[in-house]
Amino acid sequence: FVTAASLPVSAVLGTFAGPATATMFGPGYGPAAIVLAISAWSIIPRLLEGFVVQALTVFDHQALTIGTRLLGLSVNLVVTLTLLPRYGLAGAAIGTVAGELVKLSAALWLLHLPASWWAATTTRLARWLPSFAAMLAVALFLTRPWPLAALLSVAAYLLTARLAGAVTRDDLKGLAR
């Protein structure tokens, strides 16, 4: 559910960063839109990594969680310092996304999940692809007015997710608990 919930947030923020920034802060903040558009994609790995780190903590691997976070921080710093002179704040945003992806990858690798978990997860995520495609299609065709396009694209995502079987009754019952 974390991926399913964070994906539309990242996609909507990434797609509508320009109009959202201009609407909320004024046209003078237009250059900040690229930073928001890139940074939005750090939401997914950041949320997923939180759950993976909790699992590592349950298995009494706190030292490993510190290691993954230090690795992610190191990658963030190296990428940011490398890209910052040429790309400015957009380079820093890319560094953040890179650091988050490395941190999540390292934590997943250390968790040693069985092949059956990966197979089930891949199958489950594949069910979300039509939902993501529907959301992007609506977002791209309805770029104006952007709040309506954002709302309709998320609605298309949720409806398609339900129709594609990505969300089951048991999932909805689990959310109600």
Side-chain angles (χ1 to χ4, degrees), residues 4 18-19 50 56-57 63 77 91 95-96 101-102 109 120 132-133 149:
L56 285 169
T57 302
L77 285 172
T96 298
L101 287 170
V102 166
W109 182 75
F132 187 62

Side-chain angles (χ1 to χ4, degrees), residues 25-134:
F25 304 111
Y29 286 88
I34 188 68
V35 176
L36 177 60
I38 295 168
S39 297
W41 293 102
S42 70
I43 294 170
I44 299 167
R46 184 172 288 151
L47 290 174
L48 287 172
E49 187 263 347
F51 285 105
V52 175
V53 163
Q54 284 179 347
L56 285 169
T57 302
V58 166
F59 294 120
D60 201 28
H61 296 301
Q62 291 86 342
L64 295 177
T65 65
I66 292 170
T68 62
R69 290 181 170 171
L70 287 173
L71 178 63
L73 174 64
S74 300
V75 169
N76 185 337
L77 285 172
V78 168
V79 173
T80 297
L81 291 174
T82 302
L83 298 180
L84 196 60
R86 182 173 178 145
Y87 298 105
L89 290 176
I94 293 168
T96 298
V97 174
E100 292 297 327
L101 287 170
V102 166
K103 190 169 59 167
L104 171 62
S105 299
L108 280 169
W109 182 75
L110 291 169
L111 196 54
H112 301 293
L113 295 167
S116 60
W117 183 89
W118 287 105
T121 302
T122 303
T123 301
R124 186 72 182 247
L125 288 175
R127 290 186 197 149
W128 287 97
L129 289 177
S131 306
F132 187 62

